[in-house]
Amino acid sequence: MSEFSKTVQLSVSGASARILPDGFSDRGYVLEIGGAEQSHVDLSDPSYIFYEYLRRIGNVIDVLAPAGETITAAHLGAGAFTLVRYIQATRPGSAQIAVDIERELPSLVMEYLPLPSGTNCQVIIDDARATTGELPARLGTEAVDAIILDIFSGWSAPEHLAEQSYYSEIKDVLAPGGALIVNVGDDAGLTFFTAQAQSLLNVYEHVWCLAPTDMLTGKNAGNLVLVATDQPLTDETRAHLLGAGPHPAAVLDTHEAQDLIEDLRA
């Protein structure tokens, strides 16, 4: 396994990135960036998602279309292509794009953790916002079913990607019934999450929130998932998302998400 400890230097952030065995399985690997675990991949089962927030995103992808039906998806922040692999495993033949500003990162992942055979995923090395308007044309469609924004880590997030105006630009390329899915990592207090959730509510008709129940107190650091869409959260969809976990799980509709913002600001 020594080859998996190879380290590359990322040219934009200056951080180091490496892939290591996960230490608890024979075919699982972790992408580490700047000394922190960033992604997990199980080469024997690309439908398996280890990290809780990514599992919640996978659950949202599951309800965007009937099981097995292809979708178009754009991943803003490529990581180890965990969700690219998941979509290919659960919706074979889906057309996907992964955008990352760090040229060295996709190369490292592709070399040591190749994508499953048949995966249709373009890789773009660029700033996420700079490519957003081009996504439908690159995917050969009029609009995109799922856009996953997984770049944010509290207030250190790139400012131009956390602006309300950018959420409007993404809305312009989303398909009817599609969703912008945003992972928001934040510190206790959730001030960054609150700002992003409000910005999404200002732009989209419906915003759902998926999170561990203890994150809703605002007392803990962690990850919450926001889903911006033109679709209301139905009882059936909520029941599915709650049942899928990871547990203990909370799934908030638009009104509950607005109430959460107000509670966190109080």
Side-chain angles (χ1 to χ4, degrees):
M1 299 281 187
S2 61
E3 68 271 26
F4 285 93
S5 63
K6 177 183 176 183
T7 299
V8 298
Q9 202 76 14
L10 304 180
S11 56
V12 176
S13 68
S16 61
R18 61 176 182 165
I19 296 171
L20 302 167
D22 63 15
F24 57 84
S25 67
D26 293 334
R27 298 281 288 170
Y29 298 90
V30 171
L31 170 64
E32 189 180 271
I33 298 178
E37 292 186 3
Q38 197 272 350
S39 301
H40 178 274
V41 169
D42 187 329
L43 290 179
S44 64
D45 183 5
S47 69
Y48 173 72
I49 301 179
F50 177 72
Y51 291 121
E52 287 193 2
Y53 83 86
L54 287 174
R55 178 68 263 173
R56 297 183 204 281
I57 294 175
N59 295 340
V60 173
I61 291 168
D62 289 344
V63 302
L64 290 183
E69 185 175 298
T70 59
I71 62 172
T72 53
H75 307 261
L76 308 181
F81 295 77
T82 302
L83 291 170
V84 171
R85 301 168 200 271
Y86 181 78
I87 291 175
Q88 172 59 20
T90 58
R91 301 180 178 279
S94 293
Q96 304 186 66
I97 287 178
V99 183
D100 204 290
I101 200 167
E102 300 282 10
R103 179 175 301 278
E104 300 83 2
L105 188 56
S107 297
L108 174 69
V109 172
M110 293 295 193
E111 181 177 359
Y112 293 112
L113 303 176
L115 295 177
S117 176
T119 302
N120 174 13
C121 182
Q122 304 173 51
V123 178
I124 302 174
I125 306 301
D126 205 341
D127 174 80
R129 189 166 185 172
T131 66
T132 297
E134 307 168 3
L135 293 174
R138 287 179 178 269
L139 286 165
T141 186
E142 294 184 358
V144 186
D145 296 314
I147 297 180
I148 299 105
L149 181 58
D150 189 7
I151 297 172
F152 295 160
S153 181
W155 288 105
S156 63
E159 291 184 12
H160 69 297
L161 302 181
E163 294 175 341
Q164 184 171 309
S165 59
Y166 182 44
Y167 292 142
S168 295
E169 292 173 21
I170 293 176
K171 184 180 181 181
D172 289 341
V173 300
L174 268 183
L180 164 62
I181 309 170
V182 185
N183 169 45
V184 183
D186 202 2
D187 297 323
L190 302 184
T191 57
F192 180 73
F193 163 80
T194 300
Q196 298 314 302
Q198 187 62 65
S199 291
L200 287 169
L201 283 161
N202 292 343
V203 174
Y204 291 82
E205 186 176 0
H206 297 282
V207 177
W208 318 341
C209 178
L210 288 72
T213 54
D214 64 356
M215 286 300 299
L216 303 187
T217 66
K219 296 178 181 179
N220 303 307
N223 296 78
L224 304 94
V225 173
L226 290 166
V227 182
T229 177
D230 61 3
Q231 299 297 308
L233 179 65
T234 65
D235 291 342
E236 180 181 2
T237 298
R238 189 202 295 263
H240 177 90
L241 294 172
L242 281 171
H247 304 289
V251 179
L252 309 183
D253 65 16
T254 304
H255 299 296
E256 292 163 337
Q258 185 67 69
D259 288 344
L260 173 62
I261 290 172
E262 293 172 5
D263 289 344
L264 291 171
R265 286 174 170 168

